[in-house]
Amino acid sequence: RSSHRDLVHRILATVDGESFAERPDQTGLREPLSDRELEVLRLAASGVSNRLIADRLFISEKTVKKHMSNIMGKLGSSNRTHAVDQARKLGLI
């Protein structure tokens, strides 16, 4: 099921005019970000609100917030802006 969901998201991303980026090197992290966390992070980095991220990814806003919390924990960040900054420095986005 997960692979089907990933395929659907890739197709939708292509239809939306986005390219589905390759998985970045995450060797510097203790725990790598999941594909979904990377999706959420990329959208957050482009300035999209949690509500719009939820709508775009067909998940709840609460799930987006949980993903952001996981992302911040994995990147050692205290807030969304710092997480995006850290991700850029690490070449994740």
Side-chain angles (χ1 to χ4, degrees), residues 11-38:
I11 291 168
L12 289 173
T14 302
V15 170
D16 283 345
E18 300 173 11
S19 61
F20 204 83
E22 292 292 319
R23 190 148 175 73
D25 179 22
Q26 298 187 53
T27 53
L29 297 178
R30 259 188 275 166
E31 186 179 354
L33 299 174
S34 69
D35 288 339
R36 178 60 95 185
E37 289 167 344
L38 286 167

Side-chain angles (χ1 to χ4, degrees), residues 58-92:
F58 305 102
I59 58 178
S60 72
E61 190 171 359
K62 184 176 179 179
T63 301
V64 173
K65 289 177 183 180
K66 180 63 177 168
H67 284 311
M68 284 306 303
S69 175
N70 291 342
I71 291 164
M72 290 185 298
K74 290 178 181 182
L75 296 177
S77 302
S78 57
N79 61 55
R80 177 183 174 126
T81 303
H82 188 243
V84 167
D85 186 51
Q86 286 296 100
R88 285 191 174 122
K89 287 178 182 175
L90 293 169
L92 300 175

Side-chain angles (χ1 to χ4, degrees), residues 9-21 39 42-43 46 48 56-57:
H9 288 292
R10 288 176 190 214
I11 291 168
L12 289 173
T14 302
V15 170
D16 283 345
E18 300 173 11
S19 61
F20 204 83
E39 273 184 298
R42 287 182 188 113
L43 290 168
S46 67
V48 178
R56 186 173 242 187
L57 298 180

